[in-house]
């Protein structure tokens, strides 16, 4: 092993994957009352978080990891004298990247020989998880630290998420999309298609039902590859969902059959609390990114 791997909790990789692949995860915090902040997957588990949204109509908010959380993680890893690659959620959504950079600078003041690269992935949720997976493959193939950083920087702009949500309510209340869109949605009962690229989200279209919105996600995904003349075999795909696992399994089969791909079966991830605060309890879509190897 030539380097250590760190990611913030927005990668949404499950502990069974991160533990098996020696990935240190720095959690985000979530709050339901604006006063008590809980570490995701430490103080609040995944299903109870979403159940609170469904049963109590709670509107949670997320908060970035503290600088001290990153300092503690970096210091522990540097005990093995290996460099660190830290992968963070897009800085357009969160200050997690800036917190990690500050922590790195603190470490370098007392340990100037340390090597720590903090990457703004320009991604989040399961696509960030796929990106971390590419870093795992590079590490396990014994790529040097500097070469791995370069390859990771080269592929991050290829990442996309195309998804739908139950409603635009949570995106608006957490400041992620314009109020005009939610007014239209409330009046017409539409279901949005949302595209995330280069760290930004945009409205990719509207539909009138969940069934049509899922078909829209598939259509937009296929059009992306056809329009840009890209080979799907060069990419890794993964389905993102909140907690409706049955719907996600069915959607994965539809997507794979419709566009002729196979989703990655090496990673395990779900749309976690950090992103779920903004999407609400019913996000569903596909993330994909170009393979590094």
């Amino acid at each position: 092993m030539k380097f250590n791997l760190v990611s913030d909790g927005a990668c949404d990789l499950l502990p069974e994957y991160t533990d098996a692949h020696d990935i240190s995860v720095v959690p985000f915090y979530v709050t339901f009352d604006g006063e008590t902040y809980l570490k995701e997957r430490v103080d609040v588990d995944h299903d109870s978080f979403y159940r609170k949204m469904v049963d109590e109509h709670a509107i949670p908010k997320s908060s970035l990891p503290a600088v001290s959380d990153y300092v503690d993680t970096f210091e522990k890893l540097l005990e093995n004298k290996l460099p660190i690659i830290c992968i963070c959620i897009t800085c357009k959504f969160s200050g997690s990247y800036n917190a990690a950079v500050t922590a790195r600078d603190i470490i370098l003041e007392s340990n100037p020989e340390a090597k720590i690269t903090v990457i703004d992935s320009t991604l989040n949720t399961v696509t960030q998880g796929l990106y971390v997976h590419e870093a795992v493959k590079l590490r396990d193939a014994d790529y040097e630290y500097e070469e791995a950083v370069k390859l990771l920087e080269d592929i991050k702009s290829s990442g996309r998420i195309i998804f739908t949500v139950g409603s635009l309510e949570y995106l608006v209340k957490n400041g992620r999309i314009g109020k005009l869109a939610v007014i239209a949605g409330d009046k017409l009962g539409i279901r949005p298609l949302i595209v995330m690229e280069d760290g930004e989200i945009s409205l990719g279209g509207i539909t009138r039902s969940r069934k049509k919105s899922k078909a829209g996600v598939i259509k937009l995904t296929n059009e992306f590859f056809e329009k840009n003349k890209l080979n799907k075999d060069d990419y890794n795909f993964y389905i993102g969902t909140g907690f409706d696992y049955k719907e996600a399994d069915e959607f994965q089969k539809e997507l794979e059959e419709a566009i002729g791909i196979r989703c990655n079966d090496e990673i395990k991830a779900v749309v976690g609390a950090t992103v779920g605060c903004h999407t609400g309890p019913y996000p569903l879509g596909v993330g994909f990114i170009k393979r590094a190897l």
Side-chain angles (χ1 to χ4, degrees):
M1 187 168 74
K2 301 293 181 66
F3 52 87
N4 298 299
L5 275 176
V6 177
S7 178
D8 62 31
C11 69
D12 286 343
L13 291 165
L14 294 175
E16 62 190 270
Y17 178 87
T18 56
D19 291 347
H21 294 280
D22 295 319
I23 303 163
S24 297
V25 177
V26 183
F28 273 70
Y29 296 81
V30 294
T31 180
F32 289 98
D33 59 11
E35 296 180 4
T36 304
Y37 284 81
L38 309 170
K39 278 188 177 182
E40 183 180 7
R41 299 195 184 283
V42 177
D43 304 317
V44 58
D45 69 82
H46 181 83
D47 285 355
S48 65
F49 166 81
Y50 276 110
R51 182 54 59 191
K52 194 172 181 70
M53 297 175 82
V54 172
D55 294 344
E56 302 176 27
H57 304 290
I59 306 289
K61 292 187 179 296
S62 62
S63 182
L64 69 155
V67 171
S68 59
D69 293 335
Y70 278 112
V71 169
D72 292 344
T73 299
F74 292 162
E75 285 183 335
K76 182 177 180 180
L77 289 175
L78 286 171
E79 292 175 3
N80 67 10
K81 308 297 183 183
L82 293 176
I84 295 171
I85 296 176
C86 176
I87 294 171
C88 297
I89 184 176
T90 169
C91 67
K92 295 178 181 178
F93 278 16
S94 169
S96 177
Y97 169 80
N98 292 328
V101 168
T102 299
R104 178 199 64 194
D105 293 344
I106 290 171
I107 295 289
L108 293 177
E109 286 180 6
S110 58
N111 186 359
E113 301 302 316
K115 292 183 178 180
I116 304 173
T117 294
V118 182
I119 298 176
D120 171 11
S121 71
T122 72
L123 307 166
N124 72 357
T125 191
V126 296
T127 306
Q128 184 179 334
L130 286 171
Y131 188 57
V132 173
H133 178 64
E134 293 304 309
V136 168
K137 293 195 297 181
L138 291 168
R139 183 199 63 192
D140 293 352
D142 276 338
Y143 274 71
E144 297 293 338
Y145 162 70
E146 292 83 359
E147 188 174 9
V149 169
K150 181 183 183 305
L151 288 169
L152 289 170
E153 288 286 359
D154 287 346
I155 66 168
K156 70 182 186 181
S157 65
S158 69
R160 297 287 187 281
I161 302 172
I162 301 174
F163 68 103
T164 188
V165 294
S167 78
L168 290 169
E169 176 186 10
Y170 292 88
L171 286 164
V172 171
K173 288 186 176 179
N174 283 289
R176 293 301 182 203
I177 200 164
K179 291 185 178 180
L180 182 62
V182 78
I183 291 171
D186 286 344
K187 288 185 175 181
L188 302 176
I190 63 170
R191 298 293 183 269
L193 302 175
I194 302 170
V195 179
M196 178 180 173
E197 57 182 309
D198 299 324
E200 299 277 10
I201 62 172
S202 61
L203 200 60
I206 57 174
T207 64
R208 295 295 182 91
S209 69
R210 184 72 164 183
K211 181 178 180 180
K212 289 182 178 179
S213 66
K214 289 188 285 187
V217 169
I218 293 172
K219 181 174 182 288
L220 285 176
T221 303
N222 200 45
E223 286 177 351
F224 171 81
F225 283 93
E226 290 184 348
K227 178 180 177 181
N228 294 289
K229 296 181 171 57
L230 298 171
N231 185 351
K232 299 185 190 81
D233 292 339
D234 294 335
Y235 285 71
N236 255 322
F237 296 80
Y238 199 81
I239 301 301
T241 187
F243 74 139
D244 193 337
Y245 309 119
K246 181 180 179 180
E247 182 186 39
D249 288 343
E250 292 171 350
F251 177 69
Q252 178 173 327
K253 293 174 184 176
E254 291 175 20
L255 175 78
E256 290 178 336
E257 182 177 349
I259 69 174
I261 57 98
R262 286 293 176 266
C263 291
N264 187 287
D265 60 2
E266 297 177 84
I267 74 168
K268 302 295 179 184
V270 289
V271 178
T274 305
V275 175
C277 287
H278 304 288
T279 63
Y282 300 110
L284 180 68
V286 59
F288 50 88
I289 195 167
K290 192 172 184 179
R291 302 174 194 270
L293 296 178

